[in-house]
Amino acid sequence: MDFDIRKIIAENSESDIIISSERHAETGVANTGCFIMKNSAWSRDFLHNWWENYDRSEAHDQIFFDKLYKSMLPGIEEHVTILPEDAMNSSPPP
């Protein structure tokens, strides 16, 4: 219970999105169940692209985050910080 979101933000203050990695590579680069997003034009554009450019009847949000992230390589690393899988989420079993 000693999790401090302010510390994660301070350590990654240049990032627009801070998110934990995903243990199971087949479901994506990051665990989209919990992430921190800066209110910036870049973040809003990323969210818009994530929502608008993929058919959600085909797969779930994590798959499309992965596709969008990979489509923006190289360069997206300047905006998105991917932390270890247990940085903001529980590692199974919780």
Side-chain angles (χ1 to χ4, degrees):
M1 302 303 287
D2 61 352
F3 177 81
D4 188 350
I5 195 170
R6 295 169 297 187
K7 182 178 177 189
I8 291 175
I9 293 168
E11 291 171 351
N12 300 283
S13 63
E14 298 300 315
S15 297
D16 290 288
I17 298 174
I18 305 167
I19 193 164
S20 289
S21 62
E22 173 59 41
R23 170 184 288 226
H24 306 289
E26 70 275 4
T27 59
V29 169
N31 185 331
T32 58
C34 176
F35 56 93
I36 301 166
M37 183 169 287
K38 185 182 292 182
N39 184 7
S40 67
W42 190 94
S43 294
R44 289 188 300 275
D45 187 50
F46 185 90
L47 280 177
H48 176 79
N49 287 328
W50 189 13
W51 182 258
E52 293 293 328
N53 292 323
Y54 298 102
D55 182 355
R56 290 173 297 286
S57 68
E58 292 179 13
H60 56 81
D61 58 312
Q62 246 169 244
I63 298 296
F64 296 131
F65 182 96
D66 184 37
K67 287 183 179 198
L68 182 57
Y69 180 87
K70 288 178 179 177
S71 76
M72 297 175 75
L73 290 172
I76 193 169
E77 305 94 340
E78 297 173 23
H79 299 278
V80 177
T81 296
I82 300 178
L83 301 173
E85 69 181 51
D86 62 351
M88 292 190 291
N89 300 294
S90 297
S91 294

